[in-house]
Every structure is written in C-alpha cells, then in structure tokens.
Amino acid sequence: MRRIQVSVNGVAYEHEVEPRLLLVHYLREGLNLTGTMVGCNTSNCGACTVLLDGESVKSCTLFAVQADGHEITTVQGLQTNGDWHPMQTAFHEQHALQCGYCTPGMILASVSYLKENPNPNEEDIREALEGNYCRCTGYENIVKAVQQAAGQTS
Amino acid sequence: MTQAPERYMGNGLPRKEDPNLVTGKANWTDNIKLPGMVHMSMLRSPFARAKVTKLDVSAALERPGVVAAFTGADLAEEWPGGVPCAAVVSEEQKTPFFPPIVTDEVRHVGDVVAVVVASDRYAAQDALEFIEVDYEPLPAIVNMEDALKADSPLVHEDLGTNECFTYTANVGNTDELFDRTDDSGDAGAEIRGPEIQGQGDTDEAFRQASVVVKERYIQQRLLPTAIEPRAAVAYPDPGHGGYVIYSSTQVPHLAKIVLSLATGIPENQIRVVAPDVGGGFGSKLNIYREEILAVVLAKTLGVPVKFVEDRSENYQATIHGRGQIQDIELAADSEGKILGMRVKLLDDMGAYLQLLTPVIAISGGAMFPGVYTFDNFSIEIKGVFTNLTPTDAYRGAGRPEACYAIERAMDSLARELDMDPAEIRRRNFYEPFDEPTANPAGLMYDSFNLQGALDRAIELADYQSLREEQRRRRESNDPVQLGIGFATYTEICGLGPSHALAGLGIGGGGWEVASVRMLVTGKVEVATGTSPHGQGHETSWSQIAADVLGVTPDDVEVLHGDTGIVPFGRDTYGSRSLAVGGIAVYHAANKVVEKGKKIAAHMLEAAEDDIEFEGGKFSVAGSPDQNVGIGDVAGAAYLGNDLPEGMEPTLNETMTFDPPNFTFPFGAHICVTEVDTETGAVKIRDYIAVDDCGPVINPTIVDGQLHGGLAQGIAQALYEGVIYDEEGNLLTASMVNYMIPGAPELPNYTLDRTVTPSPSNPLGVKGVGEAGTIGAPPAVINSVVDALSPMGIRHIDMPASPMRVWKAIQNAQGKPSGDRQEDASLGASAADIKQGGDA
Ligand code: FES
Ligand code: FES
C-alpha cells in the first residue's frame, strides 16, 4: 500500500492505495466519483478521460499512485457555482450526446483541447478527439458543440 | 385530436435526459454499491472447442478475498432452463441446451468454465488464475460451408448436425424463371439470348431478352460495441422477498420473464431495473448467462452480486452481429424490369442460440426484395452452428443484410444493362401509395413515395455535375477517382403486430403499454414500457403527452426501465419505440382527455357532447368563458367527492397498443467517395441521406439517430470486421485491434426528409433508429465500386479497407498483391470469386 495525496475537483484527499490500483477505479470506487467511466481498459475509448493538472489523460492508463501530488478534474468538477461549463451547455444544445456514456470524457477532452487551440477548424477538432469514441452520435454534433464552445457558432 | 396552443410535436426541443449526463450524475449499473456486495468473475475458455478434462476450484477458494467459486456441475440444478432462446423458426430447428457454465465441453473462445466470487473485482480476477483446469483441444468448426460438410465435426454432438434450421419461402415461380434463364455456371452476370415469343420478330424478341445477375456477398461479423460494457447487480430483495436485478439492458421486461424461465424463480419474485444504459444497438437485447449467474449467486450466497465485463469479454461473450454468406440472383428483362429473385443464405449462429439468434436472418429474409416490385421470389436460409461467439440482433438485425444484397445486385444489373443506377431503381419502384401494399415476400408495405426521396437526393447531390466530374477524372487518369453510390432502401420497423411476430416464430407480444396519470397537483406521469438507452424517449414522450393534454413537456415526467414501476412492457429494439410505445402514450393521453371531458361536463353543468378541449382547457362550445383547466379536472378526479354517477376516481389511463401492421420507413442515400487508386484509401466526400420516417416528433433527435446509424453503416462498409483464425481464435479481441471509427474517419452528412405518413398508427410515425445502418453499407460500397469500375472491378467486400481496395486494384491490373490475414469464418470472399484474385 502507498499513501497518496491528490486534489480532486478542488477537494484534497489522502488515501492508502494498492500500487496497482488504476486511477479510474480510485475515482469511481474510492471517491465515488462515478462520472468517470470505463469503456475499454486499453486506452482506446476515452470514456475515462479526466484532467490532470488541466490536461486530458485517460485515467485507465494511470495508476492512482501516479496522480500523487497532482490536481484532477472530473466532469463533476466542471461547474462553477452550479453553472454549467460552456462545453456542457454546448453538448446539450447541439445534441452532442445520446446514451451519454462517452460524454464526460468527450467534454473533458474537448475542454482541454480548446485550451491548447482556442480557434480550431473542423478537421482540427476531429483529429483532436480521435482518442475518444462515441458509438451513438457519429460525431457531427460533437464537432458542432466544440465549435459552439469555441465561440464559433451560437 | 386535441391541441395545445403551442404544439411541441415536430419541435427539436433539447433533451430532458441531458442534464444528468453532461454533469456526471447518470446512474450506470456499474455505479451501484450495496452493503455486503461481492463481485463475480468468469473463467473463460481460451479454446474454441475442447473437452474440459480436469477442473478444480479449491485453490482459488484459498485466495484472499474469495468468497466462493463454482463449476457448472456445482450449480447445474439452479438453471433448469439454461439460457433460453425465444425463437423457433422451423419445426426441425435444433436448439442446444445453453448452460450458464459448461460442464464438459467448451464451444467458443470466451465460453464460461467456472465462476469466482470475491470481495472486490481485483481479488476475483486474481483468483481465476488459481483455478486448475485442463483442456483437450479439439478441431474447431469455424467456417459455415465446412460445417455443413458430411464429415465435419459437430459443435453439438447430441444434435447430430451443424445445421440449426433450414427455412424456405417461395412466392411465384422463381425456379421456372431461373431455370429458364440460368446456366447455373460461373458466378457473374450474363445476358441471355432472346426468348422467342413471336415468330421472326427479332426486335420483339430482343425486347424480352432477359438478364441474370448472380452474386455472392459476405456480411462480415461485427462487434456492436456499446461504449458501456454490460453490467449487472443482483440482490435478494430485503423488503419483499425475491430478487432485484439491475442490468445494463435494453429489455428489463423480457429479462424478468427469461430470468424466471432460466432459474425457476417465479416471475412475480423478480424485479428488473435498467438504470441509465450506455448504448445497446441490439447487443443488450438479450439476457445473458452472466445475468442468470448473478441471480443464481445472489440466491445461493444471499448477498448482492455484481458483474461488470471488460472490453475483451464484451468482444468474446456479448453477441456479435451479421455473419452471413449471401447468394443472390436477379432476373430482369432487357428494360431492367426485375422478373424475379432467388436468395440463398448461410447464417452463422455461433456456438449457441441466444434470445433471437435464428430469427434475425428470417426477419430480414422478407426484406430482400427491397423497394422493388416484382412477382417471383424465393429464399432459402440455413442457420449453421460454428465454434464462434453467438450472433444475434445488431442494429438493423437482418435488414442491413437484405438491403446490401439487393442494392449491390441492382448496381450489377445496371452495369450489365449499361443503365444509370438511379434509372434502374426508378424502373422497379412501386408507384407512390398510402394504403398497405404487398411486397413479393408477402409483407404489407405501409406507404411509399420512393420517387420523391430519390428526386430530392439527386437534387441535393447535384448528380449531373458529379457524373461530369467523374468523367473528367476518368479521362485525365486522375489517381483519385470519384465514386457515386446509391442505395434506395426500406426497412421494417415498429415491431410489431403480435400476430406477425408469432408468424416469425417468436410467439407474439408485439404490443406496448403506456399509462398516463394526471396527479392531483396538475403534473403528469407517463409510464412507458419502452426502455430507452440513448434514444431520448423522455423528451419525445413528453412532447406527445404535452400536446394531447395541453400542458408543457416540463410538466411531464416519463418513467421507464423498471418492472416494479412499469409492470408490463416490451422494451426497446427494432425501431419499435415510437411507432408502438409512443402511440400507446398518445392513446392513453387521449383516454385521459376523454374521461376529463365527462368530468368537465359535470363540473360545468353542460352536456358532454358540448365540451371542447383545447390548450389544456375544457370549455362549453359557444361559451368559452365557461371553462375548467385540466389540472382542476385532475384534482376533482383525484378527490372523487363529486364525480358523474358511477365514475371511478382518478385520471389514470392505460393503453396497450398492438399495431395492425409494421411500419416501413424508406429513403434514398447517395454516397460520394474519392478513392485513391495508389493507396486504396477511400474518403467519403459527401453523404446525402433523404429519409422518410413519416411525421417527426423531435427532428433533432431524429437527425441524431440518423447520424449514429449512418456512422455504424459506414463503419461496416469501410472499417469494421471480426477476424477469426482457423482455430477459432478471436483476433479482434480488444479495441486495439477492432477498429470502430473515431471522429476523423467519419464525414458530416447532408440530411433531408420527405414525409409520407404511415397508415399503421394515428400519428403516421414510422421509426428511424436503424435507417442509417441499413442504407449506408450498400451506398458506400456501390460508390467505391463505381469509382473503380473502369478498371474492371466489380466488387469489393466489406470492410473496404485501404488494403482490400488496393489489392483489388493490383489484381485488376494483374499485379501481385500479397497475402493478409482474412477472417476464416466466412469462406472465400466474394471479391476473390469474382475477380479470380488470390485468397
Ligand atoms: S477506459 Fe480508458 S480509454 Fe477506454
Ligand atoms: S453518446 Fe453514446 S457513446 Fe457517445
């Protein structure tokens, strides 16, 4: 067992964890933050995407111990004073989700990408999201949502 | 119909489902934690076919955290019914016993050999390695054509054959038609000599010359790949006795019945809940051995038991889709008018029959004639057992297979007659109709206007300019060639009339239930038997109820997915939800209004016939000031202290709607591809889809369904395919080597609609969930083949990967193209047969 200190959605935690515990399982089982999901366990689908110090990572490819000393944001940490993040609003308004299972990961990957490139074109967005699978929407509306959040459409 | 001042139906309202989903508050099955809950993990077979010669779980029991471990023999008495199959498609159908845990022989990679229960998932998984098991591997039956040979080993020795069933249907006189025109020799099309009818009139004779097109097409196996893997939690119900099962399922109501049949636990002691479900696409239209096991273990151990599959288990143990070898023949006259069709299918069952396995090809069988009218049709379908994962319904379920075959064959016919592919389709279309009209297989199509959809698609595509661009590229030998592919399709939706489902061999039960209740505070509850997993029923059903009752969608709460809350229901699959379940909501809400009228008449001291209802208000005809709102009527109905003589209190109406017929959405798709002849890469430049699903309740949701369906259809055409090796090993066993398309692989779509109401229900709605998956595969492949047709390429199998396309080009040019691993389960590919290429 190893002791880790992490800040998740602005709350500080300290826990003893098994070295092999995956970060996604730490979040889900340890902290009950079930907005982060598992879709593949092989780092392909992106359902487990969270922000680590503001950058998107796949939490099924990290061990909890690797998050020691870092700040993590899950989808539950995106709201400010109860207001949705513009990306959450955009996903809703553009009908960028159906079953919603990919959605938290997709939103976080998009939030992180817009920080990197605030003014992307459609192709950029598609390339940027290549590590996040959605089986329901066919991606067109997801791309539109990211464009909306980037201020490119209303 | 009553009407609110604001009509919500037809409006693309943002979804009511979204707030929980975008903020991480959804309730997935894997979120559930209960006191004392244990986790189960399966020991799965690494062999496609082997005898289990030794099995000992005792060492696993010693591992930390392990609560129990069982073999099939330990638990066999707990599942008298095995895993049930609901379909019987012929009297001779062979249905093997399908045990949740095998006892003697494993029959596919991923078959279950033992189960371990432990305090957490990691501990259960660790302990699996300590189960002692020996296998005696046997030759696996992997290929359907081999499986039917007399000397083939058998998947199920006790059945004495690998043939699950043979189903035949014959309408008109196909044999005579084809015997007359068929030389039953080489595959491929040929133009036959004239049928001499007049004497010495060669013009007349040539006019009647017939063409026969013979093609073999392959429907590769596909992995449905809902992004949420399956999960279940079963626990003894402390309050009531019996068991509660949370499951990531499309079919909580069917699960309740099947779990009872499998375990012998009385149906009234089982409650099934489908919480938020992360996609299904047919793969969760099944009750799996793991769900049965979870219930059995909850019963045996007396504690909550959780099962969550990982992705590789999902690919080995959740059903696969498709898996057909299709031989199709079309006969036509020289004008391109189809005279008849003959179809032979081999349909891969896999190792066992899941809930609907045998019926998938049969329900699609009657759809082979597609949108074309002719008289002679025959079909023979053989279901074949193999040592592979069972197949079952995957988005489209029989219809994409049928549509692909006819739409590819139409292009072959067009090519043989040197006719435009749009024109040959037009010549065989039904004239527009709005009353049920029989298709060659005896289905009653409900309403069509194919010409309207095709005209619109051609206009949107700017078809003539595309053909000109294609000609220019051909003439300049552009390395990137342009392809234009058509698919005009229909699909069978709104499953379905109970009598018709009985005819298909699945008993019936094609109805759907809705209850609409006006609460004392004026709010509305709609309880629906449909079970959405991404389709947005909460939003659409609210729109329907709001319009009928004259309230707003926000006043309506839609309850679903819990057999304790909605006791009867038939769940969500087969694009049935709106055309059956949504209509039940509509009828139940109208019943509320009808009863409300009686109460309002009583309250307003007027005759019932004089009461009008509009915008949520009952008023007396001619004196609109005399009125009472539906909320007040609901209050009076609830209090019940002053109602018309003999009336039951409360406004709570239920409708069980059994439709008179299926619905048949249709449409025209045009796929424009750019094919790089140097690399084999295919780029979809434009995809035009004009779909007609009748009037639309929520256009935003409908477009979303189309996007997703098209994406999965394009995925079948270009990207996805299961690969098994000769030993039955699944080589595409994780997302690392099974390619589902990401955002960069897929295009934007140009969508439009025509609106031809269905006579099957009062709203005229048809259904849309599977349209894209049905239209897209032939549209894409027709486009790719069209691009390459000047090279003499006549067919490329799905998925038309760059490697396959490049190989076809190399072969066409007489150049070597090397070998690559192809799927061993489906025999020599059509392209190899057609083009004489290497295997
Ligand atoms: S679960 Fe982490 S990428 Fe799929
Ligand atoms: S919305 Fe279902 S996987 Fe993306």
Side-chain angles (χ1 to χ4, degrees):
Chain A
M1 294 296 239
R2 270 192 45 197
R3 177 158 293 272
I4 58 169
Q5 292 181 321
V6 286
S7 157
V8 183
N9 300 334
V11 180
Y13 295 94
E14 196 169 332
H15 278 109
E16 295 273 338
V17 297
E18 270 195 78
R20 65 168 175 167
L21 182 69
L22 296 176
L23 177 58
V24 64
H25 289 145
Y26 174 67
L27 295 170
R28 288 184 57 79
E29 313 279 334
L31 306 185
N32 285 321
L33 290 169
T34 51
T36 306
M37 285 85 82
V38 177
C40 70
N41 258 338
T42 49
S43 193
N44 294 91
C45 77
C48 64
T49 304
V50 298
L51 304 184
L52 184 86
D53 300 333
E55 268 186 46
S56 72
V57 295
K58 292 179 174 173
S59 62
C60 75
T61 39
L62 287 181
F63 295 112
V65 292
Q66 292 174 286
D68 186 21
H70 293 279
E71 277 183 25
I72 290 169
T73 308
T74 74
V75 72
Q76 288 102 328
L78 271 187
Q79 280 161 265
T80 327
N81 304 323
D83 290 337
W84 286 3
H85 187 282
M87 193 65 76
Q88 292 172 307
T89 308
F91 268 63
H92 175 56
E93 290 180 359
Q94 296 294 339
H95 187 36
L97 62 149
Q98 291 179 28
C99 79
Y101 198 79
C102 71
T103 307
M106 203 64 90
I107 286 176
L108 289 162
S110 304
V111 166
S112 154
Y113 177 62
L114 282 193
K115 268 192 231 151
E116 206 179 291
N117 180 2
N119 201 12
N121 64 27
E122 186 203 321
E123 211 180 312
D124 295 336
I125 296 170
R126 286 183 178 272
E127 291 297 332
L129 294 178
E130 73 175 340
N132 289 72
Y133 287 149
C134 175
R135 195 58 156 167
C136 297
T137 66
Y139 304 102
E140 180 167 336
N141 289 349
I142 291 175
V143 173
K144 283 191 195 145
V146 179
Q147 286 172 324
Q148 171 176 331
Q152 294 171 354
T153 54
S154 56
Chain B
M1 175 191 149
T2 52
Q3 201 142 347
E6 182 165 10
R7 222 178 110 88
Y8 295 101
M9 284 193 270
N11 226 303
L13 301 186
R15 297 195 319 165
K16 300 172 83 165
E17 287 83 348
D18 292 354
N20 277 345
L21 298 170
V22 299
T23 55
K25 295 196 194 96
N27 185 27
W28 312 111
T29 301
D30 189 18
N31 296 0
I32 295 165
K33 279 187 181 177
L34 294 168
M37 187 172 81
V38 294
H39 294 253
M40 68 180 221
S41 282
M42 262 57 61
L43 181 70
R44 296 187 184 275
S45 168
F47 296 104
R49 181 162 171 255
K51 293 264 185 241
V52 180
T53 52
K54 179 182 174 198
L55 182 60
D56 184 353
V57 298
S58 52
L61 282 168
E62 306 299 316
R63 304 307 301 168
V66 171
V67 174
F70 298 103
T71 65
D74 295 336
L75 294 172
E77 283 178 14
E78 299 293 336
W79 46 72
V83 182
C85 171
V88 181
V89 301
S90 79
E91 275 175 29
E92 289 80 34
Q93 176 182 315
K94 304 276 191 295
T95 304
F97 185 71
F98 182 2
I101 306 179
V102 305
T103 47
D104 51 352
E105 185 170 330
V106 290
R107 294 187 165 86
H108 68 88
V109 170
D111 212 346
V112 176
V113 179
V115 63
V116 169
V117 184
S119 54
D120 70 74
R121 238 140 94 187
Y122 285 59
Q125 207 69 35
D126 285 348
L128 292 179
E129 287 173 29
F130 292 85
I131 295 175
E132 283 182 59
V133 56
D134 287 339
Y135 299 97
E136 179 194 325
L138 299 167
I141 299 115
V142 173
N143 178 289
M144 283 195 280
E145 291 184 306
D146 291 345
L148 293 176
K149 290 180 183 153
D151 59 349
S152 171
L154 298 175
V155 178
H156 298 276
E157 298 276 352
D158 56 325
L159 301 181
T161 172
N162 287 325
E163 186 179 313
C164 175
F165 65 86
T166 296
Y167 170 96
T168 55
N170 208 330
V171 179
N173 212 341
T174 40
D175 283 342
E176 196 191 310
L177 178 69
F178 283 100
D179 292 342
R180 183 160 56 83
T181 51
D182 177 17
D183 75 350
S184 67
D186 307 332
E190 64 185 277
I191 297 191
R192 301 291 299 172
E195 288 283 313
I196 308 293
Q197 299 225 330
Q199 292 224 338
D201 183 347
T202 39
D203 281 353
E204 168 70 0
F206 271 106
R207 204 179 60 73
Q208 293 199 5
S210 40
V211 188
V212 172
V213 175
K214 293 181 66 169
E215 304 286 354
R216 166 166 280 208
Y217 300 126
I218 303 293
Q219 293 286 332
Q220 77 271 38
R221 279 177 172 248
L222 299 171
L223 302 173
T225 316
I227 303 295
E228 182 202 26
R230 287 181 299 132
V233 178
Y235 60 96
D237 186 346
H240 304 273
Y243 300 89
V244 182
I245 301 96
Y246 277 75
S247 180
S248 171
T249 184
Q250 298 173 225
V251 288
H253 295 93
L254 305 194
K256 175 173 158 151
I257 303 165
V258 170
L259 289 170
S260 170
L261 293 174
T263 61
I265 297 169
E267 192 189 340
N268 57 10
Q269 291 180 31
I270 296 178
R271 173 180 155 216
V272 182
V273 185
D276 285 316
V277 174
F281 317 112
S283 72
K284 295 172 183 172
L285 157 52
N286 237 303
I287 292 80
Y288 287 94
R289 61 200 323 180
E290 294 87 354
E291 289 164 285
I292 295 168
L293 262 176
V295 174
V296 163
L297 293 172
K299 182 179 164 206
T300 307
L301 302 171
V303 293
V305 177
K306 185 183 216 175
F307 158 71
V308 180
E309 70 179 354
D310 68 25
R311 182 57 62 185
S312 65
E313 286 183 291
N314 177 265
Y315 281 180
Q316 291 176 6
T318 297
I319 61 100
H320 293 182
R322 321 279 191 265
Q324 271 187 7
I325 298 174
Q326 311 176 310
D327 287 306
I328 177 172
E329 297 166 85
L330 274 184
D333 69 16
S334 59
E335 306 286 306
K337 183 82 192 80
I338 301 170
L339 302 172
M341 173 191 260
R342 193 156 64 175
V343 179
K344 282 195 177 170
L345 300 182
L346 294 183
D347 192 44
D348 189 352
M349 305 288 98
Y352 302 104
L353 301 183
Q354 286 274 4
L355 190 65
L356 299 171
T357 305
V359 89
I360 302 303
I362 292 177
S363 67
M367 298 301 287
F368 273 78
V371 290
Y372 312 113
T373 172
F374 53 90
D375 293 329
N376 304 294
F377 172 68
S378 82
I379 187 163
E380 177 196 278
I381 305 171
K382 269 192 204 304
V384 186
F385 290 112
T386 55
N387 285 117
L388 307 176
T389 297
T391 60
D392 206 315
Y394 166 55
R395 200 169 191 169
R399 294 158 285 174
E401 295 91 316
C403 180
Y404 180 78
I406 175 66
E407 288 304 297
R408 287 288 299 123
M410 288 304 279
D411 265 32
S412 291
L413 192 58
R415 186 191 57 231
E416 289 309 318
L417 292 168
D418 201 15
M419 202 176 273
D420 183 278
E423 177 58 24
I424 196 145
R425 285 171 167 79
R426 244 182 245 285
R427 288 190 185 187
N428 289 285
F429 279 167
Y430 294 77
E431 288 302 315
F433 61 84
D434 54 15
E435 285 300 327
T437 300
N439 91 341
L443 282 172
M444 297 303 284
Y445 287 160
D446 61 345
S447 58
F448 275 176
N449 179 0
L450 300 154
Q451 294 80 354
L454 182 59
D455 288 348
R456 183 68 184 133
I458 281 177
E459 182 186 331
L460 285 169
D462 196 1
Y463 182 48
Q464 285 320 322
S465 320
L466 287 173
R467 283 289 177 214
E468 270 157 40
E469 178 184 341
Q470 182 181 57
R471 187 180 47 76
R472 282 198 304 276
R473 289 196 192 223
R474 284 178 180 175
E475 282 170 7
S476 66
N477 268 329
D478 192 327
V480 177
Q481 288 291 316
L482 190 76
I484 308 157
F486 286 84
T488 45
Y489 77 93
T490 181
E491 60 161 331
I492 180 170
C493 283
L495 301 186
S498 297
H499 62 87
L501 297 189
L504 276 175
I506 46 179
W511 41 264
E512 194 50 86
V513 176
S515 295
V516 174
R517 326 188 246 278
M518 294 289 309
L519 307 183
V520 65
T521 53
K523 294 288 182 192
V524 181
E525 275 177 359
V526 172
T528 175
T530 65
S531 196
H533 37 284
Q535 295 89 343
H537 296 175
E538 290 175 30
T539 305
S540 301
W541 290 193
S542 295
Q543 291 177 254
I544 295 172
D547 273 356
V548 177
L549 299 173
V551 299
T552 71
D554 283 342
D555 290 325
V556 181
E557 189 65 29
V558 177
L559 310 173
H560 59 78
D562 182 341
T563 64
I565 290 176
V566 189
F568 287 103
R570 294 293 294 177
D571 307 320
T572 287
Y573 43 85
S575 300
R576 71 189 303 273
S577 293
L578 176 59
V580 190
I583 298 303
V585 172
Y586 174 78
H587 280 306
N590 274 302
K591 280 184 170 181
V592 166
V593 171
E594 286 315 307
K595 183 169 178 183
K597 269 187 188 165
K598 292 190 173 66
I599 299 170
H602 182 74
M603 291 169 82
L604 298 169
E605 296 178 351
E608 188 193 334
D609 286 349
D610 290 340
I611 299 293
E612 291 172 345
F613 182 69
E614 209 187 316
K617 278 200 171 74
F618 296 94
S619 57
V620 180
S623 34
D625 290 350
Q626 270 185 284
N627 67 63
V628 56
I630 191 165
D632 292 333
V633 171
Y638 183 87
L639 295 174
N641 58 19
D642 184 16
L643 291 177
E645 185 78 21
M647 180 182 275
E648 287 179 33
T650 76
L651 271 185
N652 176 18
E653 297 295 321
T654 294
M655 173 74 191
T656 305
F657 177 63
D658 197 340
N661 188 8
F662 298 108
T663 58
F664 295 88
F666 59 88
H669 291 192
I670 300 177
C671 177
V672 184
T673 55
E674 290 177 359
V675 182
D676 187 327
T677 58
E678 286 166 357
T679 64
V682 174
K683 176 174 179 260
I684 295 180
R685 187 170 88 181
D686 245 317
Y687 197 105
I688 295 102
V690 178
D691 294 279
D692 192 324
C693 56
V696 163
I697 305 297
N698 185 315
T700 306
I701 289 176
V702 166
D703 286 353
Q705 286 291 316
L706 283 164
H707 287 174
L710 290 167
Q712 285 179 30
I714 291 170
Q716 176 173 16
L718 294 181
Y719 301 115
E720 293 180 21
V722 167
I723 299 181
Y724 278 107
D725 72 10
E726 302 287 339
E727 267 104 58
N729 293 306
L730 179 63
L731 302 185
T732 48
S734 79
M735 275 192 183
V736 177
N737 31 33
Y738 184 81
M739 187 192 161
I740 76 166
E745 280 81 42
L746 290 169
N748 288 326
Y749 306 101
T750 305
L751 302 185
D752 201 4
R753 267 188 272 286
T754 55
V755 179
T756 307
S758 171
S760 299
N761 62 68
L763 293 179
V765 295
K766 291 196 168 191
V768 75
E770 295 157 293
T773 322
I774 292 166
V780 174
I781 297 296
N782 283 343
S783 182
V784 174
V785 172
D786 180 56
L788 300 176
S789 59
M791 300 177 161
I793 289 171
R794 294 161 56 180
H795 183 67
I796 294 176
D797 272 324
M798 301 186 289
S801 59
M803 175 65 94
R804 279 223 173 120
V805 173
W806 180 82
K807 278 183 70 161
I809 294 168
Q810 292 291 104
N811 290 351
Q813 295 172 342
K815 296 182 193 158
S817 61
D819 287 329
R820 77 183 270 260
Q821 178 83 45
E822 292 279 357
D823 174 46
S825 71
L826 288 166
S829 80
D832 293 335
I833 291 170
K834 305 290 293 185
Q835 278 134 218
D838 53 8

